Amino acid sequence: MVLDQPSLASGPLLLCSAARVCTSWRAAVAASGAGTTNVAIRDDASTMEELRKGITGQGQRMALVARVLGRMHGFDNWVVQHARLIRSMQLNGEAGNTACWLLEERAEALGSLQLPSLQDFSCRYLPNSAVLAALPSSLTRLDIAVSSGDPSTKSGAKALARTVKGLTRLQSLRLDPGDCSKEVLPALQELPCLVQLELAGGMYGCVSVV
């Protein structure tokens, strides 16, 4: 009953609480196609304050990464277990980058499950090809940021282009920076439902086409 009620099943914290007390939770998730849960990962106040002040050394950086990783422990397992329930996923900040990295570590499991109910995916980090391949054709909104100067950007952009080509229900696409769009733009011809395109940063500044 909880899984079929959007007002209840939209919150990951409530689902986690239910999972602790319900012995048939996995079976219920497997049988449900509700797709009402919104997952939003962002930095906590202490991480945001540390980033605002600036990271001054490798030791400080490693300590920050370790702390964020501790907070995100088990996120990948949760996503794999609840893949059928997730409607949207926003991965922001250091916590979002760590969450994306954890998903990459579970790429094989994600690839076999996919994320069948996912409609909205936003990430401040370019996922690897295996995570991109887990995005379903039912996705309607995609917002991806690519780190400037990342040596994997070119190959990542090609993987992103292959993914975008298969997202036949995509309505909104945002790329930041838009420089990687030269790999992606040709794939847009395959998207009959696309009504909004935004290329942010890089050589484009900010270009929005509606």
Side-chain angles (χ1 to χ4, degrees), residues 44-65:
D44 60 9
S46 62
T47 301
M48 292 177 66
E49 178 64 16
E50 190 167 347
L51 290 171
R52 186 187 67 79
K53 292 179 178 178
I55 304 298
T56 57
Q58 185 66 17
Q60 187 180 8
R61 178 70 184 176
M62 293 301 293
L64 174 64
V65 170

Side-chain angles (χ1 to χ4, degrees), residues 20-204:
R20 293 191 185 101
V21 298
C22 180
T23 57
S24 301
W25 186 255
R26 288 193 177 186
V29 170
S32 174
T36 56
T37 304
N38 303 315
V39 177
I41 302 297
R42 61 180 67 88
D43 293 331
D44 60 9
S46 62
T47 301
M48 292 177 66
E49 178 64 16
E50 190 167 347
L51 290 171
R52 186 187 67 79
K53 292 179 178 178
I55 304 298
T56 57
Q58 185 66 17
Q60 187 180 8
R61 178 70 184 176
M62 293 301 293
L64 174 64
V65 170
R67 187 169 70 250
V68 173
L69 187 58
R71 287 184 56 222
M72 299 306 302
H73 176 71
F75 173 74
D76 50 332
N77 293 329
W78 188 93
V79 170
V80 170
Q81 183 178 347
H82 295 84
R84 292 175 59 85
L85 304 182
I86 301 173
R87 187 189 72 84
S88 70
M89 186 180 295
Q90 286 85 42
L91 308 178
N92 300 305
E94 288 291 326
N97 291 350
T98 301
C100 192
W101 177 77
L102 289 171
L103 293 180
E104 291 178 348
E105 293 296 297
R106 294 297 300 275
E108 184 176 347
L110 277 177
S112 61
L113 288 171
Q114 287 204 324
L115 295 163
S117 298
L118 191 68
Q119 298 177 27
D120 184 339
F121 183 77
S122 175
C123 186
R124 303 295 86 201
Y125 169 91
L126 180 61
N128 68 12
S129 57
V131 173
L132 290 172
L135 299 178
S137 59
S138 59
L139 199 74
T140 59
R141 180 179 178 274
L142 179 62
D143 182 350
I144 294 287
V146 182
S147 298
S148 299
D150 188 334
S152 66
T153 295
K154 187 172 182 179
S155 60
K158 290 181 178 179
L160 179 60
R162 290 193 296 270
T163 297
V164 167
K165 189 175 182 178
L167 301 178
T168 54
R169 298 183 187 178
L170 196 66
Q171 298 175 17
S172 175
L173 174 63
R174 183 178 188 273
L175 299 175
D176 181 9
D179 295 17
C180 68
S181 64
K182 62 184 178 182
E183 303 285 353
V184 178
L185 287 178
L188 303 186
Q189 302 177 55
E190 310 294 330
L191 306 179
C193 299
L194 190 68
V195 295
Q196 183 172 21
L197 171 65
E198 182 175 344
L199 308 176
M203 63 182 287
Y204 293 94

